[in-house]
Amino acid sequence: KIISRLNWEESSLQLANSFGFALPITAPVYSGPDTNITIDEDKGMGEAIRLREFEARFGPVILMLPGRPVIVVPIQRAYADLLLNTACQHSLFPPPEASVLGEKLYLSSPRTLSVISEGAMIFFYESMGTDNGRGAIVATAQVTRTAVKETATIDPATTRRGVLTSEEVSSISANDRTGLTFFNQLMRFENPIALARLRTLG
């Protein structure tokens, strides 16, 4: 789940019942993937654990801490179905390898990486386009790392985490370079956030 100030106390109680420790009384301010989360154990001892380690150990979970950066990125329905597994019905074809990997890959123009940072929350907006996209945010995840590579040097070990063909990768590259955004802790929304609601939120 996504843990925010709205369900912080409830989630802390669930963790206490399941694992024997509780979250701090108030959420710490985000200062990067290594933000310390001080958890209180039953024994009365506090232990500091880094945010990235907490999410990896107890995931899929994302702590929406105050100040944590958020970025919304577009994705076409066909690719969302494959990469995020957000299709309304199962496909008759076998799923791509990326669908079963913990860390997945979103490819884009290198320019987008100026606003995408490690540890940020990334929201996937399924654009309406020409393939009956839902015009809504359908999933979220956390960014684990980013990179810019020469398109020609992107190897199969990297692209296996995504769902684009080499021709499709070339079509989105700029100056023969491609932006790579790796993410994990993927969570799909049962109720996608529609464009009208997004506009209401500003």
Side-chain angles (χ1 to χ4, degrees), residues 105-114 116 145-151 154 158 164 169 172-182:
L105 173 64
Y106 175 83
L107 296 169
S108 62
S109 165
R111 294 189 298 272
T112 62
L113 298 191
S114 64
I116 300 178
R145 53 196 172 106
T146 63
V148 175
K149 282 193 173 184
E150 298 292 332
T151 305
I154 301 177
T158 299
L164 297 184
V169 173
I172 63 171
S173 62
N175 300 322
D176 297 322
R177 296 166 61 117
T178 302
L180 287 71
T181 300
F182 297 89

Side-chain angles (χ1 to χ4, degrees), residues 48-142:
I49 180 172
R50 294 188 301 172
L51 174 62
R52 71 172 85 213
E53 294 173 355
F54 181 95
E55 292 176 331
R57 188 179 301 180
F58 301 105
V61 62
I62 297 177
L63 298 187
M64 185 57 175
L65 303 179
R68 189 168 193 174
V70 171
I71 179 70
V72 177
V73 297
I75 187 168
Q76 294 179 30
R77 180 171 187 170
Y79 301 125
D81 289 350
L82 294 173
L83 183 62
L84 310 176
N85 193 24
T86 52
C88 297
Q89 64 183 51
H90 296 293
S91 171
L92 296 176
F93 300 100
E97 184 180 7
S99 67
V100 298
L101 296 177
E103 185 182 61
K104 306 178 191 302
L105 173 64
Y106 175 83
L107 296 169
S108 62
S109 165
R111 294 189 298 272
T112 62
L113 298 191
S114 64
V115 294
I116 300 178
S117 58
E118 179 184 352
M121 291 182 68
I122 184 169
F123 285 85
F124 295 94
Y125 175 80
E126 186 180 289
S127 52
M128 295 179 186
T130 57
D131 57 355
N132 296 318
R134 282 174 280 187
I137 289 178
V138 295
T140 187
Q142 69 133 340

Side-chain angles (χ1 to χ4, degrees), residues 4 10 19-20 24 26 74 76 99 102-103 114 144 146 181 190 193:
S4 69
E10 172 194 347
F19 301 106
T26 58
Q76 294 179 30
S99 67
E103 185 182 61
S114 64
T144 55
T146 63
T181 300
E190 292 183 11
I193 307 170

Side-chain angles (χ1 to χ4, degrees), residues 2-79:
I2 299 173
I3 301 178
S4 69
R5 61 180 180 82
L6 298 177
N7 63 352
W8 189 267
E9 184 176 351
E10 172 194 347
S11 300
S12 184
L13 289 173
Q14 290 177 339
L15 286 168
N17 292 333
S18 300
F19 301 106
F21 72 83
L23 292 169
I25 296 175
T26 58
V29 175
Y30 181 83
S31 60
D34 292 327
T35 301
N36 279 333
I37 308 294
T38 302
I39 57 177
D40 298 319
E41 300 178 356
D42 285 343
K43 302 173 184 177
M45 300 174 61
E47 176 189 353
I49 180 172
R50 294 188 301 172
L51 174 62
R52 71 172 85 213
E53 294 173 355
F54 181 95
E55 292 176 331
R57 188 179 301 180
F58 301 105
V61 62
I62 297 177
L63 298 187
M64 185 57 175
L65 303 179
R68 189 168 193 174
V70 171
I71 179 70
V72 177
V73 297
I75 187 168
Q76 294 179 30
R77 180 171 187 170
Y79 301 125

